Amino acid sequence: MPSYRHLFWMGLTGLSAPFVVPASLQAAGLHNSPETDRHTQHLTSRHADGKTGRLRSSASHPGGAATAGASTKRHARKAVHGGYETLSVRTRHIVQGTQLVLGHKQLEQQVPGTNPLRTLAQMPGVQFQSDDPQGVDTYSTQIYMHGFIQNEIGMTLDGLPLGEPTFRNYNGLNPLQAISSENVERLEVTQSAGAESTASTNNLGGSINYVSSNPKNRTGGLVAQTFGSNALFHSFFRFDSGRLNESGTKFYVSYMRNQGDKWKGGGDQFMQQVNAKLVQPIGERSQVSAFFNWDALQMVNYQDYAPSWLDQAGSRLDNFYGRPGAWARAYRAARGQYPAAYDRLSDPKDVSYYDSTASSSDLFGGIKADLALTDRLTWKSSLYGHSETGHGTYASPYAYQNGVDTVQLNGGPIFEQVRHPSIERFGGLTSFDYRLKRHDLSVGFWYENNRYDSYAYAYQQPDSPNGTPLNPFKSFRNVPGRTLWGQRYNTNSFTAYVQDTYHPIRSVALHFGFKSILNTTRVGHATNWEPRFPALASGESLTTAKAFLPHISGDWHFLHHHELFFDISENAHAYSQSGYNSSNSPFAVSQLAYNATKNSLKPETAWTFAGGYRYTDHLIQSSLYLYRTNFHNRLQQILGSAGAGSILTNNTSTVQNVGSVTMNGVDGAITITPLPGLALLNSISYDKATYDQNIRSGGTLYATKGRQVVAYPRFMYKARLSYEWRHLQAYVDTQYYGKRSYDYVGDYKLPTYWLANFGLIYTLDMTRLGMRNPTAVRNLVFAFNIYNLANTRYASTVGQNGFTMDNQGGAAYNNQSILLGAPRQFFGSVKAEF
């Protein structure tokens, strides 16, 4: 049996079966609660799960590892009586490509309320960026995984599709808005190769499934409070009903509130959320569950930055909103009277925005049935629905262009530009899993209908420095205004998959499967304000149809400590959607631009070939992971010459097929666990991701062939030192990111940087102090965290407003498409468990 001490690295790169984790090694951060693990072990032992790719644990796992049956039961008893906690961590690369699981304990080591994707950034090959330390600013959150950005990674919650997790998501919602981080039990991450069972039409670069925690069997609750820099105030409350009757009915309901000032400029970022989950067991092997989410956020965004601003005025520039005399200063700047700090800027007017905000509210939920029809056959079905409304604002100082009032409201220099996106979607999933001798068979289907509207309006701001500006978080219903542009989309998505995992011998598993996609999007009604915006693409439709997207993988455990695996798959990305000029959607352009490119448009596809080796023993755990991806028909948003200026005045962007990209990469990692409770992880990642051809845009041929793709570094290094002693945990981690190209040719590159964090957690077991009343506090947990330990100044999010082709004339240098990372921040929290 593999040694207990190897948990930390294997938790990051993926284990092959449930393992028992001694308390001395929980500092590594991978953990599931005993209650959750017992449920997971029960499901794993009774049947293969074709939906998530669980292996039939009674025979599939080789090498003598603990899986299920009597061996697993012995470990479960040991977890309760021997001070251990069970860890359900499985690499499902046998059926889904290389997969790893981040457990709840590792998520808990972050500042409460932190985006779980920030924890994922500790993995090799993953880059997470945000302009705030918690990663909750939905405008700035950005994740790359082995060269693929977030809208190329499938996201689900308990298998329910979350769509593309981008700002102004058109077919889902950001995972942060779907579930409170405290209710996330674990993340199941499939890297590089796609998982055919994922309910997604965009998982070119893998998938991330958020697994919500189950209600507890015991009545209880959780109250947590966090304080931090910039007046951060994070509160979380959860009530668990416990088992309500003999059938095991149980539920929980929680409320989360997160509010904090921006680290520069004025205004704050606020979010609140309600989650509820009900579980109804049916016999011993089936259950029905329901999940509900409501969230509302109001965020004052940070100002989009250009590299030139850093050199000319430093890192503290921001919108006027929320600061003394904000409106009067913004009004005067729009008239050409700028603050002294703007003297060195080449275009001070383009820094002079009054506000930039985002508001949204979601209702999201679903019901899921997991039914064991026979000893060999399982049926799973889910129904879900989602509704989102919201708006985002910019107070633009560009009412006049070239001396002409192109907005024509009240003659003032500033107008409020407001975007109103909305989503209405519903769908369902169903799958059948069947175990036949040495085969684990699965077939599944997913359908969704989605209506997405994206409209932009101009509203009248006062034509006086002494006026009262509009409240960006209120309704604009009675404010004089006009429609600038708008588009309405309707999309039908259908996917189906078939897969089989074959176990010829205990130590070998071979997987064969394929996925089919049929996705049709039509952009219907469109409108535009002619003096300012061209006619938009309308009455057009695009279909993505891929009948056979194969997936083949294999896994071999040998000599107890060694493992070899490979994974090969093809996947496709259906055409994206967005408001005008907002993304790489081929519809988000003028009709003229669409006509010029539509004949070259093809769905993005990617072939990924991955393989690796792992070695684990009680002192050293090492891993080598290699991959090659051939990415075809890559769609990119390309800014014209106006890209060097305002993001609000640039009406010349296009979306075009820039051909193919080849990615060759390797991750190497080693973890040393010399002492109980001590783990030292080091990993390096190298990704050579280059364009395969030169790109022609605007009649000019640009020398992009062989150049590194934009925004993703070629080299990354990560290290983490963690230690646990009795009830005390401590860790320090650091991440190094290499240079990133800031234009397609690679003329301008953003500099390298280091980012380090520190955490300290102490748990006070109140039951050991004689407090055994079941209604009393059972545990008190105190935590202290420092983000950006070295106070590094760096560019975090990159490309949110697109990239220029090159840096000729300072186009890239002046492109406002970066957001700056937060400086050093301090956090303290206390949590009471009842």
Side-chain angles (χ1 to χ4, degrees):
M1 178 187 296
S3 167
Y4 295 154
R5 287 188 172 185
H6 71 271
L7 90 99
F8 184 70
W9 170 240
M10 296 307 292
L12 291 180
T13 59
L15 294 173
S16 300
F19 277 84
V20 178
V21 182
S24 61
L25 290 186
Q26 290 173 12
L30 294 170
H31 159 77
N32 283 342
S33 68
E35 184 169 270
T36 302
D37 290 333
R38 286 196 295 271
H39 174 71
T40 304
Q41 291 162 359
H42 168 68
L43 291 179
T44 304
S45 63
R46 65 180 169 88
H47 60 78
D49 182 351
K51 190 71 175 177
T52 61
R54 294 191 184 107
L55 300 181
R56 192 179 68 210
S57 56
S58 60
S60 63
H61 182 70
T67 53
S71 176
T72 302
K73 292 176 182 177
R74 285 196 300 270
H75 290 314
R77 289 194 296 269
K78 199 171 185 179
V80 175
H81 300 295
Y84 297 103
E85 294 189 0
T86 54
L87 172 67
S88 176
V89 180
R90 296 169 294 277
T91 38
R92 298 178 203 137
H93 55 261
I94 297 173
V95 292
Q96 280 196 347
T98 302
Q99 188 180 77
L100 57 90
V101 176
L102 270 71
H104 186 69
K105 189 176 183 68
Q106 189 169 9
L107 299 174
E108 280 188 322
Q109 290 183 346
Q110 304 299 315
V111 176
T114 293
N115 191 327
L117 295 180
R118 184 175 289 284
T119 309
L120 200 61
Q122 297 171 11
M123 289 170 35
V126 175
Q127 175 188 234
F128 177 83
Q129 302 289 0
S130 178
D131 58 14
D132 71 289
Q134 290 180 289
V136 298
D137 185 348
T138 55
Y139 179 56
S140 72
T141 54
Q142 186 180 80
I143 188 169
Y144 281 85
M145 191 160 67
H146 287 152
F148 289 98
I149 195 171
Q150 58 212 30
N151 66 328
E152 297 157 352
I153 301 171
M155 298 274 185
T156 56
L157 170 61
D158 294 333
L160 302 181
L162 298 179
E164 300 187 15
T166 58
F167 187 63
R168 302 189 187 97
N169 187 321
Y170 71 89
N171 64 351
L173 71 167
N174 192 301
L176 190 75
Q177 297 169 259
I179 184 171
S180 299
S181 60
E182 290 89 346
N183 292 329
V184 177
E185 182 63 31
R186 63 185 183 273
L187 299 184
E188 299 175 339
V189 185
T190 301
Q191 301 180 84
S192 292
E196 60 263 49
S197 59
T198 301
S200 169
T201 57
N202 65 291
N203 56 320
L204 286 175
S207 59
I208 301 174
N209 181 40
Y210 285 65
V211 179
S212 63
S213 62
N214 278 327
K216 299 184 183 301
N217 289 329
R218 175 178 174 176
T219 302
L222 175 66
V223 176
Q225 185 62 58
T226 299
F227 305 92
S229 298
N230 303 302
L232 175 72
F233 193 85
H234 176 87
S235 305
F236 180 79
F237 308 92
R238 169 167 159 165
F239 170 74
D240 282 84
S241 69
R243 292 170 58 92
L244 297 174
N245 49 43
E246 291 184 359
S247 69
T249 306
K250 54 185 179 179
F251 71 89
Y252 72 74
V253 61
S254 69
Y255 172 76
M256 183 277 295
R257 184 183 188 277
N258 195 93
Q259 184 171 15
D261 293 340
K262 294 165 58 184
W263 58 267
K264 68 171 181 176
D268 62 7
Q269 296 185 321
F270 170 79
M271 180 179 178
Q272 58 181 336
Q273 189 169 40
V274 173
N275 288 163
K277 185 174 183 179
L278 171 70
V279 174
Q280 174 60 64
I282 303 175
E284 294 184 358
R285 302 172 53 207
S286 302
Q287 70 174 32
V288 174
S289 61
F291 179 83
F292 169 79
N293 171 81
W294 169 83
D295 69 271
L297 63 83
Q298 294 182 345
M299 295 194 174
V300 181
N301 301 131
Y302 293 90
Q303 191 169 53
D304 296 288
Y305 241 75
S308 59
W309 297 3
L310 277 171
D311 295 337
Q312 297 165 1
S315 61
R316 305 300 296 189
L317 293 176
D318 203 61
N319 302 313
F320 293 110
Y321 181 87
R323 293 182 285 177
W327 173 252
R329 296 172 65 195
Y331 185 89
R332 287 193 293 267
R335 294 290 191 187
Q337 304 170 34
Y338 304 109
Y342 292 13
D343 288 347
R344 295 183 58 193
L345 295 171
S346 57
D347 187 3
K349 187 173 185 178
D350 208 22
V351 190
S352 304
Y353 298 97
Y354 170 66
D355 69 32
S356 170
T357 69
S359 305
S360 69
S361 179
D362 295 273
L363 290 172
F364 172 70
I367 185 169
K368 178 179 181 180
D370 184 349
L371 306 176
L373 303 181
T374 70
D375 289 343
R376 296 178 178 272
L377 179 63
T378 300
W379 176 35
K380 295 182 179 180
S381 288
S382 300
L383 295 173
Y384 65 92
H386 172 218
S387 174
E388 180 180 87
T389 58
H391 66 266
T393 72
Y394 275 107
S396 172
Y398 289 95
Y400 286 84
Q401 293 203 43
N402 300 321
V404 178
D405 182 0
T406 59
V407 182
Q408 301 175 18
L409 291 171
N410 63 345
I414 300 176
F415 70 95
E416 193 78 2
Q417 179 169 295
V418 181
R419 294 189 182 187
H420 279 282
S422 65
I423 295 172
E424 295 287 343
R425 66 187 180 109
F426 65 90
L429 308 89
T430 190
S431 66
F432 293 90
D433 306 320
Y434 185 70
R435 189 178 68 220
L436 177 64
K437 295 182 179 179
R438 296 180 179 271
H439 295 267
D440 295 332
L441 303 168
S442 180
V443 59
F445 308 90
W446 168 52
Y447 169 76
E448 178 181 280
N449 174 264
N450 175 50
R451 171 177 161 172
Y452 169 67
D453 291 350
S454 184
Y455 284 77
Y457 304 90
Y459 292 99
Q460 181 174 297
Q461 286 279 18
D463 186 15
S464 168
N466 300 316
T468 300
L470 301 176
N471 185 334
F473 297 114
K474 295 292 185 179
S475 171
F476 297 89
R477 183 171 301 171
N478 297 319
V479 181
R482 69 176 70 259
T483 301
L484 296 177
W485 52 258
Q487 290 176 302
R488 173 167 294 170
Y489 299 86
N490 189 274
T491 302
N492 287 286
S493 300
F494 175 81
T495 68
Y497 72 91
V498 176
Q499 61 185 21
D500 174 27
T501 301
Y502 173 56
H503 312 283
I505 58 176
R506 283 180 59 105
S507 59
V508 174
L510 299 174
H511 173 77
F512 307 89
F514 72 91
K515 179 179 183 178
S516 300
I517 293 178
L518 179 61
N519 175 278
T520 299
T521 294
R522 178 177 178 82
V523 56
H525 176 267
T527 186
N528 63 291
W529 172 240
E530 292 184 359
R532 190 177 183 92
F533 296 95
L536 308 188
S538 177
E540 306 286 350
S541 66
L542 290 171
T543 296
T544 302
K546 297 290 181 179
F548 186 73
L549 297 170
H551 183 197
I552 305 171
S553 62
D555 183 90
W556 178 34
H557 288 252
F558 61 101
L559 300 178
H560 299 292
H561 299 294
H562 303 265
E563 178 189 3
L564 288 172
F565 60 89
F566 73 90
D567 201 305
I568 303 171
S569 75
E570 182 187 18
N571 229 319
H573 183 190
Y575 296 105
S576 298
Q577 303 158 43
S578 74
Y580 178 63
N581 270 5
S582 299
S583 78
N584 63 342
S585 168
F587 300 109
V589 296
S590 68
Q591 185 70 57
L592 185 63
Y594 178 83
N595 292 341
T597 61
K598 65 179 180 181
N599 292 332
S600 64
L601 294 175
K602 296 179 180 180
E604 295 177 325
T605 60
W607 274 98
T608 298
F609 309 85
Y613 164 80
R614 295 191 182 97
Y615 173 82
T616 62
D617 69 12
H618 67 286
L619 289 178
I620 297 175
Q621 308 86 49
S622 61
S623 175
L624 184 66
Y625 176 69
L626 302 96
Y627 60 94
R628 175 185 175 89
T629 296
N630 298 111
F631 189 173
H632 301 288
N633 304 313
R634 182 164 177 157
L635 298 180
Q636 294 283 179
Q637 181 186 26
I638 298 176
L639 301 183
S641 60
S646 170
I647 60 174
L648 298 178
T649 61
N650 173 21
N651 296 324
T652 61
S653 70
T654 61
V655 174
Q656 68 183 65
N657 187 334
V658 298
S660 58
V661 170
T662 298
M663 293 190 289
N664 293 293
V666 59
D667 294 339
I670 185 170
T671 296
I672 303 173
T673 54
L675 298 171
L678 180 65
L680 175 62
L681 163 69
N682 285 272
S683 73
I684 59 172
S685 302
Y686 178 82
D687 183 288
K688 184 180 180 182
T690 57
Y691 300 104
D692 292 342
Q693 61 283 305
N694 296 327
I695 298 175
R696 182 175 296 278
S697 179
T700 302
L701 186 67
Y702 294 90
T704 55
K705 184 177 181 179
R707 304 296 178 91
Q708 183 77 3
V709 299
V710 292
Y712 189 69
R714 185 165 289 188
F715 180 78
M716 290 185 287
Y717 167 77
K718 300 176 183 181
R720 179 181 174 93
L721 177 65
S722 62
Y723 183 69
E724 180 173 353
W725 180 73
R726 295 184 180 178
H727 301 289
L728 184 68
Q729 302 174 54
Y731 73 88
V732 60
D733 61 53
T734 185
Q735 303 166 20
Y736 170 83
Y737 294 98
K739 292 182 178 180
R740 292 170 286 171
S741 294
Y742 195 56
D743 59 71
Y744 292 103
V745 173
D747 287 348
Y748 190 86
K749 296 183 183 296
L750 299 174
T752 64
Y753 71 92
W754 288 85
L755 186 65
N757 307 290
F758 169 80
L760 188 67
I761 303 172
Y762 181 77
T763 302
L764 184 61
D765 188 344
M766 304 299 288
T767 61
R768 294 190 177 187
L769 300 179
M771 299 181 64
R772 299 186 179 275
N773 187 325
T775 63
V777 176
R778 289 185 289 154
N779 287 303
L780 282 175
V781 182
F782 302 91
F784 176 71
N785 297 80
I786 304 176
Y787 170 82
N788 194 355
L789 197 60
N791 201 28
T792 301
R793 188 179 76 169
Y794 66 100
S796 59
T797 309
V798 173
Q800 72 274 14
N801 293 311
F803 297 95
T804 60
M805 286 303 306
D806 57 19
N807 193 37
Q808 294 298 311
Y813 184 59
N814 293 297
N815 179 23
Q816 298 172 36
S817 203
I818 63 175
L819 292 165
L820 303 184
R824 185 187 298 119
Q825 306 277 282
F826 299 90
F827 305 92
S829 62
V830 59
K831 177 172 64 177
E833 299 174 343
F834 298 90

Tab-separated table of all heavy atoms in Angstrom, residues 105-137:
chain	number	residue	atom	x	y	z
A	105	LYS	N	-10.282	20.893	2.918
A	105	LYS	CA	-9.304	21.393	3.882
A	105	LYS	C	-8.340	22.380	3.238
A	105	LYS	O	-7.980	23.398	3.825
A	105	LYS	CB	-8.528	20.235	4.513
A	105	LYS	CG	-7.651	20.672	5.681
A	105	LYS	CD	-6.984	19.489	6.338
A	105	LYS	CE	-6.159	19.916	7.551
A	105	LYS	NZ	-7.015	20.385	8.645
A	106	GLN	N	-7.921	22.078	2.003
A	106	GLN	CA	-7.027	23.009	1.332
A	106	GLN	C	-7.740	24.316	0.997
A	106	GLN	O	-7.155	25.400	1.095
A	106	GLN	CB	-6.457	22.385	0.069
A	106	GLN	CG	-5.343	23.235	-0.547
A	106	GLN	CD	-4.598	22.509	-1.620
A	106	GLN	OE1	-4.984	21.425	-2.036
A	106	GLN	NE2	-3.506	23.085	-2.078
A	107	LEU	N	-9.012	24.228	0.619
A	107	LEU	CA	-9.777	25.441	0.350
A	107	LEU	C	-9.926	26.277	1.615
A	107	LEU	O	-9.910	27.515	1.569
A	107	LEU	CB	-11.156	25.081	-0.203
A	107	LEU	CG	-11.184	24.305	-1.524
A	107	LEU	CD1	-12.606	23.901	-1.866
A	107	LEU	CD2	-10.581	25.131	-2.643
A	108	GLU	N	-10.058	25.618	2.772
A	108	GLU	CA	-10.233	26.323	4.037
A	108	GLU	C	-8.987	27.078	4.472
A	108	GLU	O	-9.075	27.975	5.308
A	108	GLU	CB	-10.628	25.341	5.133
A	108	GLU	CG	-12.089	24.954	5.144
A	108	GLU	CD	-12.454	24.147	6.364
A	108	GLU	OE1	-11.634	23.305	6.783
A	108	GLU	OE2	-13.543	24.367	6.926
A	109	GLN	N	-7.828	26.737	3.931
A	109	GLN	CA	-6.610	27.425	4.338
A	109	GLN	C	-6.527	28.832	3.757
A	109	GLN	O	-5.692	29.631	4.191
A	109	GLN	CB	-5.385	26.608	3.925
A	109	GLN	CG	-5.231	25.331	4.738
A	109	GLN	CD	-3.973	24.563	4.373
A	109	GLN	OE1	-3.334	24.831	3.354
A	109	GLN	NE2	-3.604	23.605	5.192
A	110	GLN	N	-7.371	29.132	2.780
A	110	GLN	CA	-7.390	30.474	2.225
A	110	GLN	C	-8.233	31.402	3.099
A	110	GLN	O	-8.958	30.962	3.994
A	110	GLN	CB	-7.964	30.433	0.808
A	110	GLN	CG	-7.235	29.497	-0.118
A	110	GLN	CD	-5.784	29.863	-0.323
A	110	GLN	OE1	-5.449	31.031	-0.532
A	110	GLN	NE2	-4.901	28.878	-0.261
A	111	VAL	N	-8.135	32.696	2.832
A	111	VAL	CA	-8.985	33.664	3.519
A	111	VAL	C	-10.442	33.319	3.244
A	111	VAL	O	-10.813	33.048	2.095
A	111	VAL	CB	-8.674	35.092	3.027
A	111	VAL	CG1	-9.617	36.106	3.675
A	111	VAL	CG2	-7.225	35.450	3.314
A	112	PRO	N	-11.308	33.256	4.266
A	112	PRO	CA	-12.721	32.932	4.028
A	112	PRO	C	-13.325	33.819	2.937
A	112	PRO	O	-13.095	35.026	2.901
A	112	PRO	CB	-13.372	33.194	5.389
A	112	PRO	CG	-12.272	32.909	6.375
A	112	PRO	CD	-11.023	33.412	5.709
A	113	GLY	N	-14.090	33.189	2.072
A	113	GLY	CA	-14.686	33.903	0.958
A	113	GLY	C	-13.819	33.968	-0.266
A	113	GLY	O	-14.243	34.497	-1.307
A	114	THR	N	-12.599	33.428	-0.203
A	114	THR	CA	-11.701	33.465	-1.347
A	114	THR	C	-12.212	32.576	-2.468
A	114	THR	O	-12.720	31.481	-2.238
A	114	THR	CB	-10.286	33.015	-0.935
A	114	THR	OG1	-9.735	33.978	-0.041
A	114	THR	CG2	-9.363	32.883	-2.138
A	115	ASN	N	-12.063	33.045	-3.677
A	115	ASN	CA	-12.439	32.279	-4.852
A	115	ASN	C	-11.656	30.957	-4.863
A	115	ASN	O	-10.429	30.965	-4.802
A	115	ASN	CB	-12.105	33.087	-6.108
A	115	ASN	CG	-12.684	32.501	-7.367
A	115	ASN	OD1	-12.817	31.298	-7.516
A	115	ASN	ND2	-13.022	33.368	-8.305
A	116	PRO	N	-12.337	29.799	-4.925
A	116	PRO	CA	-11.614	28.530	-4.950
A	116	PRO	C	-10.598	28.421	-6.082
A	116	PRO	O	-9.630	27.667	-5.974
A	116	PRO	CB	-12.736	27.489	-5.106
A	116	PRO	CG	-13.921	28.127	-4.481
A	116	PRO	CD	-13.800	29.589	-4.847
A	117	LEU	N	-10.799	29.161	-7.167
A	117	LEU	CA	-9.852	29.098	-8.268
A	117	LEU	C	-8.498	29.667	-7.879
A	117	LEU	O	-7.479	29.324	-8.491
A	117	LEU	CB	-10.403	29.842	-9.484
A	117	LEU	CG	-11.660	29.241	-10.120
A	117	LEU	CD1	-12.095	30.069	-11.319
A	117	LEU	CD2	-11.441	27.794	-10.523
A	118	ARG	N	-8.450	30.532	-6.877
A	118	ARG	CA	-7.156	31.021	-6.405
A	118	ARG	C	-6.365	29.885	-5.777
A	118	ARG	O	-5.146	29.820	-5.901
A	118	ARG	CB	-7.340	32.184	-5.421
A	118	ARG	CG	-6.016	32.782	-4.976
A	118	ARG	CD	-6.180	34.011	-4.109
A	118	ARG	NE	-6.652	35.175	-4.840
A	118	ARG	CZ	-5.900	35.908	-5.647
A	118	ARG	NH1	-4.638	35.583	-5.857
A	118	ARG	NH2	-6.412	36.963	-6.254
A	119	THR	N	-7.043	28.982	-5.068
A	119	THR	CA	-6.370	27.815	-4.515
A	119	THR	C	-5.833	26.936	-5.630
A	119	THR	O	-4.741	26.363	-5.530
A	119	THR	CB	-7.331	27.003	-3.632
A	119	THR	OG1	-7.948	27.873	-2.689
A	119	THR	CG2	-6.612	25.892	-2.903
A	120	LEU	N	-6.577	26.842	-6.715
A	120	LEU	CA	-6.169	26.034	-7.848
A	120	LEU	C	-4.861	26.532	-8.460
A	120	LEU	O	-4.126	25.768	-9.096
A	120	LEU	CB	-7.276	26.046	-8.896
A	120	LEU	CG	-7.292	24.936	-9.940
A	120	LEU	CD1	-7.453	23.577	-9.284
A	120	LEU	CD2	-8.419	25.179	-10.933
A	121	ALA	N	-4.548	27.812	-8.259
A	121	ALA	CA	-3.330	28.393	-8.825
A	121	ALA	C	-2.067	27.794	-8.231
A	121	ALA	O	-0.974	28.023	-8.750
A	121	ALA	CB	-3.328	29.906	-8.620
A	122	GLN	N	-2.166	27.038	-7.134
A	122	GLN	CA	-0.995	26.376	-6.578
A	122	GLN	C	-0.571	25.179	-7.422
A	122	GLN	O	0.516	24.636	-7.241
A	122	GLN	CB	-1.297	25.923	-5.153
A	122	GLN	CG	-1.602	27.060	-4.195
A	122	GLN	CD	-2.111	26.583	-2.850
A	122	GLN	OE1	-2.051	25.401	-2.534
A	122	GLN	NE2	-2.629	27.501	-2.051
A	123	MET	N	-1.422	24.761	-8.357
A	123	MET	CA	-1.106	23.638	-9.222
A	123	MET	C	-0.115	24.043	-10.300
A	123	MET	O	-0.111	25.175	-10.780
A	123	MET	CB	-2.377	23.139	-9.923
A	123	MET	CG	-3.368	22.444	-9.042
A	123	MET	SD	-4.922	22.197	-9.951
A	123	MET	CE	-4.332	21.880	-11.625
A	124	PRO	N	0.746	23.110	-10.738
A	124	PRO	CA	1.594	23.384	-11.903
A	124	PRO	C	0.748	23.630	-13.143
A	124	PRO	O	-0.297	23.010	-13.335
A	124	PRO	CB	2.413	22.091	-12.047
A	124	PRO	CG	2.320	21.400	-10.735
A	124	PRO	CD	0.995	21.780	-10.154
A	125	GLY	N	1.174	24.566	-13.967
A	125	GLY	CA	0.498	24.822	-15.221
A	125	GLY	C	-0.729	25.697	-15.136
A	125	GLY	O	-1.375	25.956	-16.149
A	126	VAL	N	-1.069	26.183	-13.927
A	126	VAL	CA	-2.270	26.997	-13.746
A	126	VAL	C	-1.870	28.413	-13.363
A	126	VAL	O	-1.000	28.625	-12.509
A	126	VAL	CB	-3.187	26.409	-12.660
A	126	VAL	CG1	-4.380	27.329	-12.404
A	126	VAL	CG2	-3.674	25.029	-13.074
A	127	GLN	N	-2.495	29.391	-13.985
A	127	GLN	CA	-2.277	30.800	-13.665
A	127	GLN	C	-3.625	31.434	-13.346
A	127	GLN	O	-4.524	31.435	-14.186
A	127	GLN	CB	-1.633	31.526	-14.848
A	127	GLN	CG	-1.494	33.019	-14.643
A	127	GLN	CD	-1.032	33.747	-15.890
A	127	GLN	OE1	-0.057	34.464	-15.864
A	127	GLN	NE2	-1.747	33.571	-17.004
A	128	PHE	N	-3.773	31.939	-12.119
A	128	PHE	CA	-4.994	32.648	-11.729
A	128	PHE	C	-4.640	34.102	-11.466
A	128	PHE	O	-3.646	34.405	-10.802
A	128	PHE	CB	-5.602	32.032	-10.471
A	128	PHE	CG	-6.823	32.781	-9.977
A	128	PHE	CD1	-8.069	32.546	-10.534
A	128	PHE	CD2	-6.719	33.747	-8.982
A	128	PHE	CE1	-9.189	33.243	-10.100
A	128	PHE	CE2	-7.827	34.453	-8.543
A	128	PHE	CZ	-9.070	34.191	-9.110
A	129	GLN	N	-5.474	35.010	-11.964
A	129	GLN	CA	-5.227	36.432	-11.808
A	129	GLN	C	-6.483	37.131	-11.322
A	129	GLN	O	-7.599	36.781	-11.712
A	129	GLN	CB	-4.773	37.063	-13.137
A	129	GLN	CG	-3.532	36.454	-13.749
A	129	GLN	CD	-2.276	36.787	-12.988
A	129	GLN	OE1	-2.308	37.489	-11.982
A	129	GLN	NE2	-1.137	36.284	-13.454
A	130	SER	N	-6.287	38.133	-10.460
A	130	SER	CA	-7.379	38.980	-9.995
A	130	SER	C	-6.786	40.250	-9.425
A	130	SER	O	-5.669	40.248	-8.907
A	130	SER	CB	-8.211	38.255	-8.929
A	130	SER	OG	-9.242	39.100	-8.449
A	131	ASP	N	-7.555	41.352	-9.502
A	131	ASP	CA	-7.051	42.612	-8.967
A	131	ASP	C	-7.359	42.783	-7.483
A	131	ASP	O	-7.003	43.797	-6.888
A	131	ASP	CB	-7.598	43.805	-9.760
A	131	ASP	CG	-9.128	43.856	-9.778
A	131	ASP	OD1	-9.770	43.146	-8.972
A	131	ASP	OD2	-9.684	44.602	-10.601
A	132	ASP	N	-8.041	41.795	-6.857
A	132	ASP	CA	-8.295	41.863	-5.424
A	132	ASP	C	-7.791	40.571	-4.783
A	132	ASP	O	-7.733	39.529	-5.438
A	132	ASP	CB	-9.785	42.055	-5.136
A	132	ASP	CG	-10.586	40.808	-5.434
A	132	ASP	OD1	-10.748	40.482	-6.633
A	132	ASP	OD2	-11.037	40.151	-4.483
A	133	PRO	N	-7.416	40.603	-3.505
A	133	PRO	CA	-6.776	39.429	-2.895
A	133	PRO	C	-7.682	38.224	-2.742
A	133	PRO	O	-7.193	37.091	-2.718
A	133	PRO	CB	-6.316	39.956	-1.531
A	133	PRO	CG	-7.164	41.153	-1.260
A	133	PRO	CD	-7.431	41.761	-2.592
A	134	GLN	N	-8.990	38.408	-2.639
A	134	GLN	CA	-9.907	37.274	-2.524
A	134	GLN	C	-10.301	36.679	-3.875
A	134	GLN	O	-10.850	35.581	-3.924
A	134	GLN	CB	-11.186	37.684	-1.791
A	134	GLN	CG	-11.035	37.979	-0.314
A	134	GLN	CD	-12.364	38.377	0.284
A	134	GLN	OE1	-12.877	39.471	0.020
A	134	GLN	NE2	-12.937	37.500	1.087
A	135	GLY	N	-10.029	37.407	-4.938
A	135	GLY	CA	-10.435	36.928	-6.252
A	135	GLY	C	-11.926	36.974	-6.476
A	135	GLY	O	-12.489	36.113	-7.161
A	136	VAL	N	-12.609	37.982	-5.894
A	136	VAL	CA	-14.067	38.050	-5.995
A	136	VAL	C	-14.547	39.105	-6.992
A	136	VAL	O	-15.745	39.173	-7.274
A	136	VAL	CB	-14.704	38.328	-4.615
A	136	VAL	CG1	-14.387	37.201	-3.653
A	136	VAL	CG2	-14.246	39.667	-4.036
A	137	ASP	N	-13.654	39.921	-7.527
A	137	ASP	CA	-14.046	40.907	-8.530
A	137	ASP	C	-14.290	40.176	-9.844
A	137	ASP	O	-13.354	39.766	-10.537
A	137	ASP	CB	-12.945	41.955	-8.683
A	137	ASP	CG	-13.341	43.077	-9.625
A	137	ASP	OD1	-14.359	42.944	-10.340
A	137	ASP	OD2	-12.623	44.106	-9.663
